[in-house]
Amino acid sequence: MQDSVQTRSASRGIPFDTDKLDRLMEAAGLDVLLVTSKHNVQYMLDVERAIFFDYMDAIGISRYLPVVVYAKGAPDKAGYVGHGLETHQRELIRPWVPTLKTSGQGSVDAIATAVEIIRASGVPAKRIGVETAFLPMDAGKTLQDAFAGSEIKDALLVLERLRAVKTPAELAKLRAASELVTEAMLEVIAHHGPGTTKRQLFDALRVAEVNRGLTFEYCLLAAGRSHNRAPSEQRWEEGDVLSLDSGGNYHGYIGDLARMAVLGKPDSELEGLLAEIDAVQQAVFAAIKPGAMGSMIYTAAERALKETSQRDSTEFLAHGMGLVSHEAPRLTASGPVRYDAADADRSLEPGMVISVETTMKHPKRGFIKLEDTIAVTASGYEMFGEKGRGWNLGGVSM
């Protein structure tokens, strides 16, 4: 593989607020930041992810490890270590970093090259921030051995806070992801009828999302009275409800929504149950606005949940969306994905994006859910991918 090394002035503008990152690093006590997750590398560089490693990181006897080096207050000394297999991509669209090396082969040599960049820059490296969940043990040991007298600290919160408020370009991608996922779900519902298995629906949704330019990530689906959401040979039959909850990725940004369907006309009970779920969603939407505390989202949800007929079988969840599902703002410490509620006592800001989901596991009618993507705006909120929020009829286009 070719060892491509370039050191020159950046040809692209820096895509994030360096002053904000410097302030976050100062508050966290960091001199240098080493970014190694694919999502944060994408954010820091604003370039397409390495094509060869978009799906799988493992190669040979090691793994792909991209590394962005950023020193506090010195973006002119930033660098990127990529794999040799991404050389051609970086030649076509060069990242903004002054030092670019696409010479990586595996995790240890990639971090060793990053160490060389830090030493050559002459910047202080007494306190080094890393993504501990995305730094392999062998690379972490290499880093610690190279800077034996330095403190290695987790930089998760620094990077989350940097990404929490989305740029207009990021919001456009999140909107596109949400709209395309919704369109794909509605197409699958309309083109499948009685006797279709959950596995067939799963496969059809994968194709529908890929055909729209999305990377299919997952689909959780439940049919009939069952609450099981794995693909299976269970058939969707006349009168059954169907819940589709899918994530599709658009240029790194996730669309994650849930919509409901039924084979045949929904009866009054089903209409009422979905209306109760929507009432919870609408109550939460009304609480989303700039300046509101993050905790107000759950306050509004709990108040609305008390009015539902199926309170004991209905759950609410809200979480941040972006390059990662369940990123900042983090609003609860008791959800299915465990983390601290760092944003419950912080104000919502324009540009934040929140997934709002209400789930009813009805003992007789099945799994009924709405999940919506909401962007905080200067005057309130905006919904992405708003189509199909009522009962969608299965098989109408067969």
Side-chain angles (χ1 to χ4, degrees), residues 139-267:
K141 184 178 185 303
T142 299
L143 178 65
Q144 187 68 83
D145 288 348
F147 294 103
S150 297
E151 182 182 8
I152 309 297
K153 304 172 70 173
D154 190 14
L156 168 70
L157 188 59
V158 167
L159 291 164
E160 268 210 334
R161 297 254 62 87
L162 182 66
R163 298 196 324 266
V165 174
K166 275 56 179 176
T167 65
E170 290 182 287
L171 292 171
K173 289 174 183 175
L174 284 163
R175 179 197 300 278
S178 301
E179 291 176 350
L180 293 171
V181 168
T182 304
E183 289 176 9
M185 289 194 290
L186 297 182
E187 176 188 289
V188 168
I189 290 167
H191 286 84
H192 292 80
T196 306
T197 67
K198 286 171 62 182
R199 191 170 300 280
Q200 288 173 325
L201 291 163
F202 181 95
D203 292 340
L205 186 59
R206 180 197 300 274
V207 172
E209 290 188 8
V210 170
N211 284 344
R212 286 169 168 79
L214 296 168
T215 297
F216 175 84
E217 291 201 358
Y218 59 85
C219 176
L220 306 174
L221 68 170
R225 297 179 60 174
S226 173
H227 298 161
N228 187 298
R229 298 204 289 168
S232 70
E233 299 309 308
Q234 179 190 350
R235 297 183 182 276
W236 189 26
E237 301 291 4
E238 193 71 26
D240 285 350
V241 304
L242 174 70
S243 169
L244 290 179
D245 182 346
S246 183
N249 190 304
Y250 183 75
H251 297 281
Y253 289 82
I254 301 169
D256 178 18
L257 300 101
R259 294 292 181 259
M260 294 302 304
V262 64
L263 279 176
K265 184 178 179 180
D267 57 37

Side-chain angles (χ1 to χ4, degrees), residues 16-92:
F16 57 88
D17 184 342
T18 57
D19 289 340
K20 180 178 181 180
L21 179 54
D22 292 343
R23 291 193 302 271
L24 290 167
M25 291 177 67
E26 177 65 26
L30 299 179
D31 300 315
V32 177
L33 190 61
L34 295 183
V35 178
T36 53
S37 66
K38 288 189 288 191
H39 57 277
N40 276 321
V41 167
Q42 176 183 339
Y43 184 85
M44 296 287 286
L45 299 183
D46 191 28
V47 294
E48 184 179 37
R49 298 183 188 187
I51 295 170
F52 195 89
F53 299 101
D54 195 34
Y55 175 73
M56 173 74 83
D57 291 339
I59 183 169
I61 60 172
S62 188
R63 57 157 289 167
Y64 173 59
L65 188 69
V67 189
V68 174
V69 180
Y70 180 89
K72 182 182 64 179
D76 58 314
K77 296 182 178 180
Y80 174 61
V81 182
H83 196 279
L85 288 170
E86 61 185 290
T87 300
H88 294 163
Q89 280 179 267
R90 306 312 167 213
E91 288 175 349
L92 291 175

